[in-house]
Amino acid sequence: MAKQIYTHKGLPHYTLANFRHLHREPDDSSSFGYNNISPEKKIKGFEIYSSEGLVPAVGPLKSDFYRMSITLSGGVDVQLGLEQFRHQPGTISFTYPGQVFSKSNIQPETFGYYALFEADFLGSFLPPDQFQEEFPFFNVNGQLFIQLTTEEITQVAAFVARINEEVQEVKAGRENAVRMYFYLLLLEIKRSYIAQGLHLTHTDTRTGYLIPKFHKLVSQYFLQKRKVADYAAMLGVTPNHLNRTIKDATGHTASEAISTMLIRESKALLRYTDDTISQISFQLDFSDPASFTRFFREQTGRTPLDFRKNA
């Protein structure tokens, strides 16, 4: 069982220091980036890998670090909270600490890179509390997926190659060089992000803004807020309008979206912790274990215990 940090209601967040077995094949012998490097080459708070040696599916889980995935060929399904996207060549996705994350359906020809890093890794360039403001695609209110042009993704891949060169060699100033190249990589992405107008949410249509904003709010508050009226109030619309908009766009009600997040959280707790059913029901704010079991069976057709045995 990986090391976990328990925060509000005992939710597990995996740390970067003890995360490898959840995303790399046990017998992976690839040598790109941080994979299989000697201890003296490791850089605190930062890891970078290629998709070679990646397990077939990751999550759903949470972590206390940032994540960025870059796809150069093939495709993969990535789910961030309630938002699901299909990576294609040129797609980059971003995950912030505490976010429910999963990756699946990786095509055989898929290749790309991904970086895992802690909040203070770029502290020499900007304070950790300003990181999400500087790079809004790592923020709950930002666009968590971006599609780059061939020219842009080629430039990003070039920075990844330079980072790998520094990681593999023990040279003077290598850690600063890795930070610098990584900062420039993020800056390259930010330029495209701004050029595409993704930082300007007010340019969206009302419906186009409302749906992703609702999904982000549910991903953030589903443990504390279970009523559609709560989210309607935060979005400045009526519950009926919110339900109708979500239903028309997704085929599911707003209430079903909240239940979906609860089920994903439940599955993560059942799969990645040793907590009892009673403990999990308490963490998820159900009145008793029977209520949690009934809810889980209604949503999945299985009991929590059955899911855990077969996960």
Side-chain angles (χ1 to χ4, degrees), residues 16-214:
L16 184 57
N18 213 347
F19 187 66
R20 178 186 168 89
H21 75 285
L22 292 172
H23 67 103
R24 306 299 297 181
E25 294 282 8
D27 57 350
D28 173 29
S29 61
S30 61
S31 59
F32 181 89
Y34 204 79
N35 204 50
N36 293 317
I37 63 173
S38 55
E40 70 271 12
K41 291 183 179 180
K42 294 182 178 181
I43 299 173
K44 185 179 184 300
F46 178 82
E47 299 179 9
I48 192 165
Y49 301 89
S50 77
S51 56
E52 183 182 359
L54 178 68
V55 298
V58 180
L61 50 79
K62 292 183 178 182
S63 63
D64 69 344
F65 49 85
Y66 290 96
R67 180 187 292 102
M68 179 181 67
S69 299
I70 303 166
T71 298
L72 301 181
S73 63
V76 55
D77 290 334
V78 175
Q79 184 114 25
L80 303 179
L82 283 171
E83 298 181 89
Q84 182 166 332
F85 299 86
R86 181 69 178 174
H87 267 237
Q88 56 185 324
T91 304
I92 304 181
S93 63
F94 314 91
T95 313
Y96 50 81
Q99 189 176 38
V100 178
F101 165 86
S102 63
K103 181 182 292 187
S104 60
N105 298 325
I106 302 175
Q107 293 179 357
E109 70 275 18
T110 298
F111 183 78
Y113 306 105
Y114 62 99
L116 317 173
F117 61 100
E118 295 175 348
D120 59 354
F121 176 68
L122 292 177
S124 57
F125 288 94
L126 69 163
D129 61 354
Q130 295 180 19
F131 176 75
Q132 292 188 0
E133 180 179 355
E134 180 70 16
F135 299 111
F137 34 82
F138 284 109
N139 187 292
V140 66
N141 293 316
Q143 175 61 44
L144 303 178
F145 285 77
I146 182 173
Q147 188 68 33
L148 270 59
T149 65
T150 301
E151 181 180 354
E152 291 168 339
I153 202 67
T154 299
Q155 183 63 39
V156 167
F159 283 125
V160 171
R162 297 302 299 268
I163 291 171
N164 183 54
E165 290 175 8
E166 295 293 338
V167 168
Q168 299 299 332
E169 301 292 336
V170 180
K171 297 180 179 179
R174 66 186 284 270
E175 292 193 15
N176 286 333
V178 169
R179 288 184 176 88
M180 185 176 300
Y181 285 131
F182 189 58
Y183 182 89
L184 290 172
L185 183 157
L186 295 180
L187 183 59
E188 183 72 21
I189 296 171
K190 181 180 179 179
R191 288 172 174 171
S192 178
Y193 190 84
I194 292 173
Q196 295 183 48
L198 299 178
H199 64 307
L200 303 173
T201 57
H202 67 268
T203 62
D204 295 339
T205 65
R206 187 57 188 170
T207 298
Y209 168 77
L210 186 63
I211 297 167
K213 182 63 175 176
F214 168 71

Side-chain angles (χ1 to χ4, degrees), residues 277-295:
I277 305 301
S278 293
Q279 289 171 326
I280 292 174
S281 66
F282 173 75
Q283 292 168 26
L284 298 178
D285 205 25
F286 283 87
S287 57
D288 53 59
S291 297
F292 170 61
T293 298
R294 185 166 54 253
F295 168 78

Side-chain angles (χ1 to χ4, degrees), residues 196-238:
Q196 295 183 48
L198 299 178
H199 64 307
L200 303 173
T201 57
H202 67 268
T203 62
D204 295 339
T205 65
R206 187 57 188 170
T207 298
Y209 168 77
L210 186 63
I211 297 167
K213 182 63 175 176
F214 168 71
H215 285 162
K216 288 181 171 67
L217 287 173
V218 172
S219 299
Q220 190 175 12
Y221 295 109
F222 70 97
L223 288 171
Q224 297 86 24
K225 300 180 185 296
R226 305 287 174 87
K227 297 179 179 179
V228 174
D230 295 330
Y231 296 97
M234 287 190 285
L235 292 165
V237 298
T238 67

